[in-house]
């Protein structure tokens, strides 16, 4: 594929800052900031995973084995906060930082200094959150939803946790504004909106979701803060408040948040499947409209998390049908991925394996979500391990698998080296088998009535818990192989070509591998052969 004039120019004048501090701390380069986000997310993923292993180790057998119930509750809360705000979201923001400018032919992000600032807020926020474990009374223990009155019974951790959440929110909003400004203002000439890669579309829509809902979370936790320290009664029934109001406000944030963590995953998979099927994506425009529909619907389904609070029948029916409606655009996406695969000349490199694993296992998570949408059934499933199994299928085999697929897919572009394909396949199969051993038995535990967030349980649940814990440790330790593969690839290995993958199309595959520090200093000229979906947008 022909390189633009800018790329030849960049090869000779690759002005990387000298010195570690200049290069990494003060950087305004979108690639370096993307790398920082991805490394940070990987560290948090391992930390959150370690917390999950504490939970699973305690649940290996009935009875209290390893930790006190209070610490167990802190682990469940911290595991969720670290994984959602520290691992999954920053990983997707890192992918956006790295890839969006390359995909649309922009020289950098629109607001590079703000980009630096939005990253550096994150490590401080998480230091603050993790330090709560060392204050008197320990960390937050009210579940990741922070429902009052339970979440307000903590000691010093309440203010620290809420301030940390505010900082994460500020970081997310800044990142989202930057992504929107970049996509709308900095596309190369000829890159119309309906010629953009689906990954860019997914992030444009996700960024609007972030800007809409992060302030809602900020409002909810600020009301918690004033209830705790300034004697207000937003959620205190004794003072005329309503704890259920917190649930409404929280889930108005919480449900779009779920889609903030999955829409970029849809974008990643929509880049990978056409590449390895060697066909344009089936139904490009339908994919864009489906993504936008999911984003819109995510705002009107929040109370399906609250069917058991005593809602009026009309409310239950509305939220039940609205929730089921989300299955339609999601089904369109799955249909389009399968249609892209249909009669393609497929090869099964590691990114494609993770993408296919995503499609199959995410769909299982979607089906259990439809079961949870049915009000009378949800009365049985609510707050059981069935719910835990459902959202982990969506977030682990969904979001996390797509992040891993993206890492293998773009790693050669980032480092200039091919990863070890054999090790990559080992990582995929170990992860896929163990993740099902970990989460599938939890469906049965939930159907049998095991409540979530408990450190001890009836002996009747023992067998499935033991299987689940074995799967958990196998899955956790499999990820060390991923860390090794990434480290090994960054160090060296077989040189990657500019195109990397035989079926790859799109602007990012026109620059050399590794991508130069500065790309597209003169905008590339775009013809349809470069675009990921050829002429299908017309």
């Amino acid at each position: 594929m022909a390189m633009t004039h800018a790329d030849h120019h960049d090869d000779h004048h690759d002005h990387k800052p000298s010195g570690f501090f200049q290069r990494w701390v003060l950087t305004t380069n979108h690639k370096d900031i993307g790398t920082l986000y991805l490394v940070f997310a990987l560290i948090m993923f391992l930390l959150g995973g370690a917390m999950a292993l504490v939970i699973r180790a305690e649940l290996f057998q009935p009875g209290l084995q390893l930790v006190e119930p209070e610490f167990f509750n802190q682990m469940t809360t911290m595991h969720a906060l670290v994984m959602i705000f520290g691992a999954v979201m920053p990983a997707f923001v890192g992918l956006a930082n790295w890839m969006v400018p390359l995909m649309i032919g922009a020289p950098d992000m629109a607001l590079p200094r703000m980009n630096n600032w939005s990253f550096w807020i994150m490590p401080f926020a998480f230091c603050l959150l993790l330090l709560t474990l060392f204050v008197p009374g320990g960390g937050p223990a009210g579940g990741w939803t922070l429902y009052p009155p339970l979440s307000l019974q903590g000691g010093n951790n309440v203010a620290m946790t809420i301030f940390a959440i505010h900082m994460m929110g500020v970081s997310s909003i800044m990142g989202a504004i930057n992504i929107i400004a970049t996509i709308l203002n900095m596309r190369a000439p000829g890159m119309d909106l309906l010629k953009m890669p689906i990954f860019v579309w997914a992030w444009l829509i996700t960024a609007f979701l972030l800007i809409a809902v992060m302030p809602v979370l900020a409002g909810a936790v600020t009301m918690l803060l004033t209830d705790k320290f300034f004697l207000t009664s937003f959620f205190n029934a004794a003072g005329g408040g309503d704890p259920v109001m917190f649930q409404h406000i929280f889930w108005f944030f919480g449900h779009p948040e779920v889609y903030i963590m999955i829409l970029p995953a849809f974008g990643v998979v929509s880049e990978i499947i056409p590449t390895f099927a060697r066909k344009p994506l089936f139904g490009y425009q339908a994919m864009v409209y489906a993504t936008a529909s999911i984003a819109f619907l995510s705002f009107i389904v929040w109370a399906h998390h609250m069917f058991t609070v005593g809602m009026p029948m009309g409310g239950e029916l509305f939220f039940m049908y609205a929730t089921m409606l989300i299955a339609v655009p999601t089904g369109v996406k799955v249909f389009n991925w399968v249609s892209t695969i249909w009669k393609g000349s497929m090869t099964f490199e590691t990114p494609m394996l993770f993408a296919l694993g995503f499609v199959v296992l995410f769909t299982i998570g979607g089906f259990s979500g439809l079961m949870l949408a049915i009000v009378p059934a949800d009365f049985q499933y609510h707050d059981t391990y069935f719910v835990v199994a459902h959202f982990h299928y969506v977030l682990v085999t969904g979001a996390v698998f797509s992040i891993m697929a993206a890492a293998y897919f773009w790693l050669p572009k980032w480092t200039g080296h091919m990863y070890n394909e054999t090790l990559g396949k080992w990582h995929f199969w170990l992860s896929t088998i163990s993740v099902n051993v970990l989460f599938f038995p939890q469906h049965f535990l939930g159907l049998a009535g095991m409540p979530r967030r408990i450190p001890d349980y009836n002996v009747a649940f023992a067998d499935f818990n033991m299987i689940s814990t074995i799967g958990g440790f196998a899955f956790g330790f499999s990820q060390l192989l991923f860390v090794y593969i990434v480290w090994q690839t960054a160090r060296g290995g077989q040189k990657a070509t500019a195109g990397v993958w035989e079926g790859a199309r799109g602007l990012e595959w026109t620059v050399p591998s590794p991508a130069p520090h500065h790309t597209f200093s003169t905008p590339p000229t775009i013809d349809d052969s470069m675009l990921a979906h050829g002429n299908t947008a017309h």
Side-chain angles (χ1 to χ4, degrees):
M1 208 172 267
M3 288 191 295
T4 59
H5 160 76
D7 304 316
H8 290 300
H9 170 87
D10 283 330
D11 249 1
H12 302 302
H13 306 284
D14 209 7
H15 307 298
K16 283 184 191 158
S18 53
F20 182 87
F21 189 80
Q22 285 285 334
R23 169 80 192 269
W24 294 109
V25 180
L26 303 179
T27 180
T28 53
N29 182 284
H30 74 96
K31 300 179 184 74
D32 285 350
I33 293 172
T35 303
L36 287 169
Y37 266 112
L38 290 164
V39 170
F40 176 78
L42 183 58
I43 293 166
M44 286 292 142
F45 176 62
L46 297 173
L47 196 65
M51 292 171 177
L53 293 185
V54 172
I55 296 167
R56 281 314 327 163
E58 177 57 59
L59 295 173
F60 183 61
Q61 288 178 311
L64 294 174
Q65 267 80 235
L66 300 172
V67 295
E68 292 297 317
E70 292 79 13
F71 186 72
F72 181 91
N73 291 341
Q74 292 169 32
M75 284 292 97
T76 53
T77 306
M78 294 288 273
H79 162 69
L81 291 172
V82 166
M83 283 301 200
I84 291 167
F85 296 109
V88 174
M89 288 170 69
F92 280 132
V93 177
L95 292 173
N97 258 296
W98 244 106
M99 300 316 299
V100 166
L102 285 179
M103 288 176 154
I104 62 173
D108 206 310
M109 296 293 273
L111 306 159
R113 287 183 194 278
M114 188 166 94
N115 203 15
N116 171 291
W117 192 219
S118 67
F119 170 75
W120 280 110
I121 291 172
M122 297 286 288
F124 291 98
F126 279 90
C127 283
L128 191 62
L129 182 64
L130 294 166
L131 284 170
T132 59
L133 291 170
F134 303 99
V135 300
W144 86 275
T145 52
L146 304 172
Y147 281 0
L150 183 60
S151 61
L152 296 178
Q153 289 165 13
N156 303 342
N157 68 56
V158 177
M160 292 170 73
T161 303
I162 288 170
F163 190 52
I165 289 170
H166 273 300
M167 287 166 76
M168 297 165 206
V170 169
S171 167
S172 295
I173 291 168
M174 287 163 75
I177 290 170
N178 209 346
I179 287 166
I180 292 171
T182 304
I183 295 171
L184 295 185
N185 296 313
M186 299 189 66
R187 300 191 307 281
M191 174 70 74
D192 305 334
L193 282 174
L194 280 176
K195 288 184 181 174
M196 299 193 309
I198 291 284
F199 179 73
V200 179
W201 260 114
W203 246 115
L204 179 63
I205 292 165
T206 303
F208 279 108
L209 282 183
L210 274 166
I211 290 172
V213 301
M214 291 314 283
V216 177
L217 175 66
V221 295
T222 304
M223 288 194 271
L224 276 182
L225 192 74
T226 61
D227 271 12
K228 171 82 174 167
F229 297 102
F230 299 105
L231 305 180
T232 54
S233 294
F234 290 111
F235 311 126
N236 180 1
D242 183 1
V244 174
M245 179 170 77
F246 177 86
Q247 298 189 28
H248 280 290
I249 300 168
F250 179 86
W251 286 115
F252 187 80
F253 146 80
H255 202 80
E257 167 65 24
V258 174
Y259 291 99
I260 286 164
M261 291 189 283
I262 206 68
L263 292 182
F266 292 163
V268 166
V269 170
S270 302
E271 300 301 321
I272 292 174
I273 287 178
T275 300
F276 295 99
R278 290 166 181 77
K279 278 174 63 186
L281 181 68
F282 179 86
Y284 169 85
Q285 288 195 359
M287 277 295 210
V288 174
Y289 295 132
T291 309
S293 307
I294 290 170
F296 169 73
L297 290 170
S298 75
F299 283 102
I300 58 168
V301 298
W302 77 88
H304 67 212
H305 298 267
M306 304 166 52
F307 282 147
T308 56
V309 301
M311 243 186 281
M313 173 79 72
E316 288 178 341
L317 286 170
F318 170 80
F319 285 107
M320 175 166 85
Y321 292 134
T323 302
M324 289 179 166
L325 199 57
I326 283 198
V328 177
T330 312
V332 167
K333 287 184 165 299
V334 175
F335 177 81
N336 285 8
W337 290 325
V338 173
S339 303
T340 306
I341 291 166
W342 179 252
K343 293 194 172 174
S345 47
M346 285 211 291
T347 50
F348 297 98
E349 287 87 348
T350 311
M352 184 61 158
L353 289 175
F354 271 105
L356 294 174
F358 168 95
V359 173
V360 173
L361 297 171
F362 170 79
T363 304
I364 292 174
F367 282 139
S368 60
L370 273 174
M371 293 169 69
L372 288 160
I374 301 163
V375 175
D378 183 77
F379 272 53
Q380 302 300 316
Y381 307 139
H382 187 80
D383 267 346
T384 68
Y385 258 79
F386 188 86
V387 179
V388 178
H390 154 68
F391 70 73
H392 281 91
Y393 264 90
V394 176
L395 286 178
V396 180
T397 62
V400 174
F401 267 38
S402 78
I403 291 165
M404 287 170 178
Y408 286 110
F409 188 52
W410 286 314
L411 201 57
K413 179 57 66 185
W414 300 337
T415 61
H417 305 294
M418 291 305 290
Y419 61 88
N420 183 323
E421 188 65 62
T422 309
L423 288 181
K425 286 190 165 70
W426 267 100
H427 174 228
F428 168 75
W429 285 110
L430 286 170
S431 296
T432 302
I433 293 164
S434 60
V435 84
N436 284 294
V437 174
L438 166 56
F439 292 121
F440 210 81
Q442 294 180 8
H443 291 103
F444 303 125
L445 285 169
L447 293 172
M450 180 173 163
R452 58 198 273 208
R453 301 187 187 137
I454 52 167
D456 189 11
Y457 53 84
N458 188 309
V459 71
F461 304 133
D463 293 349
F464 279 135
N465 267 301
M466 183 178 281
I467 293 167
S468 184
T469 295
I470 292 166
F473 276 84
F475 181 72
F477 286 104
S478 303
Q479 304 324 306
L480 297 176
L481 181 58
F482 176 63
V483 176
Y484 173 73
I485 293 166
V486 171
W487 180 76
Q488 186 191 49
T489 311
R491 292 277 310 276
Q494 181 194 338
K495 287 272 181 243
T497 59
V500 184
W501 309 109
E502 185 194 325
R505 301 170 74 175
L507 280 183
E508 71 269 38
W509 308 109
T510 64
V511 304
S513 303
H517 197 63
H518 296 287
T519 38
F520 303 127
S521 13
T522 53
T525 44
I526 291 174
D527 61 60
D528 277 353
S529 69
M530 289 178 180
L531 298 175
H533 44 85
N535 296 309
T536 50
H538 296 302

